[in-house]
Amino acid sequence: MTKLEQTLTEMLTPAVEAIGFELLGLEFIQAGRHSTLRVYIDHPDGITVDNCADVSRQVGAILDVEDPITNEYDLEVSSPGVDRPLFKPEHYQNAVGEEVRLRTKLPQDGRRNFKGDLVAVNGDMITINVDNEEFMLMISNVERANIIAKL
């Protein structure tokens, strides 16, 4: 998680929770002069389009006042979907036994991309089984991780 993403998470979490949702995580995707801030929310009863609109208005108002992002961007509020992103250690813990795809910030064992079964979570370390070979990775070194949806 970048420093900006961490700042945004800390800034937005209380507001999202105040209207009854969990802020799973967020991504700030820079694309030249125009970027995207994608905010993932969840609720035990699921997420509707109206829920996303409500959270978008709340988050948008905070971002307009605080103005933490200096360049132009689009705000997207989304449910985690079937390919649920993993942000926090508890997300990884809940995904043990699932097939996941992840990319590390820095290469480990000569690679940055891993696809396999999430075997275990131990503190800030995860174990992933890729083609019958186990890799231990630090969650803090994971750039992006998603559960692979079973169809």
Side-chain angles (χ1 to χ4, degrees):
M1 181 180 302
T2 66
K3 183 152 180 64
L4 174 62
E5 289 171 335
Q6 185 173 355
T7 299
L8 290 169
T9 299
E10 291 167 4
M11 179 187 304
L12 301 175
T13 296
V16 172
E17 289 176 351
I19 57 175
F21 300 98
E22 176 189 359
L23 176 65
L24 285 180
L26 54 81
E27 302 170 321
F28 185 70
I29 303 149
Q30 295 186 10
R33 293 178 42 218
H34 199 78
S35 302
T36 302
L37 174 60
R38 188 167 297 131
V39 177
Y40 293 96
I41 60 170
D42 205 3
H43 189 275
D45 296 333
I47 297 296
T48 67
V49 173
D50 289 338
N51 298 148
C52 290
D54 292 343
V55 171
S56 181
R57 280 189 292 279
Q58 183 82 0
V59 165
I62 292 167
L63 294 173
D64 287 345
V65 170
E66 298 293 331
D67 200 23
I69 302 171
T70 56
N71 58 326
E72 196 174 314
Y73 66 95
D74 288 324
L75 172 62
E76 295 179 3
V77 177
S78 175
S79 72
V82 293
D83 59 344
R84 177 176 287 269
L86 307 172
F87 295 100
K88 303 172 187 170
E90 54 267 25
H91 297 160
Y92 288 90
Q93 188 64 50
N94 293 338
V96 168
E98 300 279 352
E99 186 177 21
V100 297
R101 175 178 292 121
L102 61 86
R103 179 174 176 85
T104 59
K105 296 172 190 170
L106 301 171
Q108 183 166 332
D109 299 314
R111 61 192 295 174
R112 290 184 60 200
N113 295 302
F114 297 83
K115 179 182 174 187
D117 294 326
L118 184 59
V119 177
V121 178
N122 213 349
D124 189 39
M125 299 293 293
I126 59 171
T127 304
I128 183 170
N129 185 318
V130 179
D131 298 326
N132 294 319
E133 185 178 351
E134 288 193 352
F135 295 89
M136 290 186 69
L137 308 169
M138 291 183 60
I139 293 173
S140 59
N141 188 33
V142 175
E143 181 175 281
R144 180 175 178 86
N146 293 76
I147 292 175
I148 298 174
K150 293 183 175 112
L151 303 177

